Amino acid sequence: MKRPIAELIGTGRYLPDKVLSNADLEKMVDTSDQWILDRTGIRERRVASAEETLACMGKVACEQALESAGVDVADVDVLLTATASPDRLLPSQACDIQATLGAVNAAAFDVIAACSGFIYGLTVAEGMVSSGQAKNILVVGAERLTAITNYKDRATCILLGDGVGATLVRPARNGTRGILSSYLKTDGRLANLLYRPGGGSVHPPSEEMLADGSYFLTMAGRETFKHAVRSMSDACDQAMARAGLSGDDIDLLIPHQANLRIIEATAKHMGMPLDKVYVNIDRYGNTSAASIPIALDECVREGRVTEGTTILMVAFGGGLTWGAVVVRW
Ligand code: UT7
């Protein structure tokens, strides 16, 4: 096993107060609480208000991460945001979080890899630490998916929610703590399984687009589900092999929260009992790039992650993209 180059320290999160329950959705589309619970494991999700921009939510999550890491905002040299639902298309979301946070010494940019964005972001951060480019990198997963959700499409609107999670990556202080391995994979040929058909420069926003739903996120659910199960398992296997670890060495699996059945299939593949798997999809639904950092922050604050805990984080999403990171806390 290689010596860790970078470690994670400090975490934070922000979840909007407003709850959208399955019962609320029953009044909006032809669905039922029972169907949603049985097919996804979701009970409720959070919805940001007009004032709860990603810039504002990101500021809170980053402040918590910095406070728990004991790092001053002036010492942040990179702020990296993973998002598929930015406040605006230009500049990057990271620039707007940098401004609200006052991280004036940070270079800020976005990493776009849909639900896998946080895993991609951690890997980019590790590379920047390793090359000596940066010493304190805020990696933020931030989503306001309800802004790009079609509330006439029952197959997707029941899944998505809003929230932000953040962590700090810095040079590893000793030979045991930190990122033990990482694995990233993409198959752009399958992009149209989970994407936004319109709103970009090829099909600029229009009235028709809002009416026919092509402005919003669309997904071929059943096909995507099959790829998700396969890819999450592949990512776990590859990251574990690179770390030289086996399933028994993992104390905690933090999977992207897309569907409880995908999470359970991944755990089964890894031979991991469900009490070693962190699940909060029932409370927040799918928050894309934010789901893993939100879960990580909950685990740290609940004491499920303490010094020495070995964590496998794995994600899958639009792109298609997938990946995993093994971290010793
Ligand atoms: O974040 C990373 C990427 N995301 C994922 O990996 C998500 C992957 N996909 C999924 O989680 C699941 O495919 C869904 C939860 C989206 C759908 O569950 P499913 O078990 O795959 O359902 P399905 O799409 O195969 O549809 C089964 C039936 C259909 O009716 P018919 O054709 O059998 O009569 C759907 O029309 O369920 C119907 N249906 C619904 N019924 C009630 C679809 N959505 C709903 C709904 N309420 N909300």
Side-chain angles (χ1 to χ4, degrees):
M1 197 194 306
K2 75 174 168 65
R3 188 187 185 284
I5 295 162
E7 68 179 15
L8 275 58
I9 178 168
T11 57
R13 72 177 185 275
Y14 183 100
L15 275 311
D17 285 339
K18 188 182 171 195
V19 170
L20 183 69
S21 69
N22 290 352
D24 296 329
L25 282 164
E26 281 177 353
K27 293 178 206 133
M28 297 160 69
V29 285
D30 180 15
T31 192
S32 68
D33 174 43
Q34 201 58 52
W35 190 96
I36 300 172
L37 201 53
D38 289 349
R39 304 310 293 164
T40 70
I42 302 169
R43 292 177 189 276
E44 57 188 42
R45 65 291 288 145
R46 301 297 176 94
V47 180
S49 68
E51 294 73 39
E52 287 172 313
T53 61
L54 293 186
C56 295
M57 297 196 277
K59 173 181 190 278
V60 176
C62 287
E63 282 172 346
Q64 288 176 8
L66 290 174
E67 193 188 346
S68 55
V71 170
D72 195 276
V73 69
D75 294 328
V76 176
D77 36 30
V78 172
L79 194 160
L80 189 165
T81 302
T83 185
S85 50
D87 290 336
R88 45 187 178 167
L89 295 180
L90 194 74
S92 71
Q93 186 59 56
C95 290
D96 283 339
I97 295 177
Q98 184 217 26
T100 53
L101 181 64
V104 290
N105 296 318
F109 61 95
D110 287 358
V111 169
I112 301 176
C115 303
S116 312
F118 182 71
I119 300 293
Y120 273 65
L122 283 183
T123 307
V124 171
E126 184 195 29
M128 294 191 83
V129 166
S130 127
S131 67
Q133 279 278 328
K135 287 201 171 64
N136 289 303
I137 306 184
L138 275 169
V139 181
V140 188
E143 299 286 8
R144 205 169 159 194
L145 294 175
T146 59
I148 55 165
T149 296
N150 182 359
Y151 283 98
K152 290 183 183 141
D153 175 15
R154 67 176 182 173
T156 53
C157 75
I158 54 137
L159 300 169
L160 309 170
D162 301 335
V164 178
T167 191
L168 192 91
V169 174
R170 70 172 182 196
R173 284 166 300 170
N174 63 46
T176 54
R177 288 187 56 167
I179 297 176
L180 303 184
S181 72
S182 129
Y183 171 79
L184 305 178
K185 196 86 197 281
T186 302
D187 190 344
R189 294 168 301 180
L190 299 171
N192 288 3
L193 290 180
L194 172 47
Y195 74 126
R196 282 179 71 193
S201 55
V202 174
H203 301 294
S206 64
E207 288 289 329
E208 296 74 47
M209 209 165 266
L210 291 172
D212 70 17
S214 60
Y215 178 77
F216 302 106
L217 188 150
T218 40
M219 177 169 68
R222 204 175 302 183
E223 266 305 290
T224 306
F225 186 97
K226 286 184 211 154
H227 285 287
V229 171
R230 222 175 290 142
S231 305
M232 300 262 281
S233 298
D234 169 55
C236 289
D237 290 345
Q238 300 292 337
M240 298 288 288
R242 288 182 182 186
L245 299 179
S246 71
D248 290 344
D249 300 314
I250 299 297
D251 301 311
L252 184 65
L253 175 65
I254 303 184
H256 168 50
Q257 312 279 314
N259 186 313
L260 184 59
R261 291 181 293 136
I262 297 173
I263 294 172
E264 287 173 348
T266 308
K268 190 173 171 202
H269 173 82
M270 296 301 295
M272 290 187 76
L274 288 176
D275 61 357
K276 281 186 167 187
V277 183
Y278 193 73
V279 175
N280 61 12
I281 192 170
D282 51 325
R283 290 178 282 135
Y284 306 140
N286 182 346
T287 58
S288 190
S291 80
I292 292 178
I294 289 170
L296 178 65
D297 182 60
E298 290 189 337
C299 290
V300 170
R301 288 175 197 275
E302 287 165 16
R304 284 192 72 164
V305 167
T306 53
E307 185 139 357
T309 304
T310 305
I311 313 163
L312 172 60
M313 298 186 248
V314 59
F316 165 86
L320 297 179
T321 55
W322 60 102
V325 169
V326 181
V327 172
R328 183 155 298 132
W329 197 258

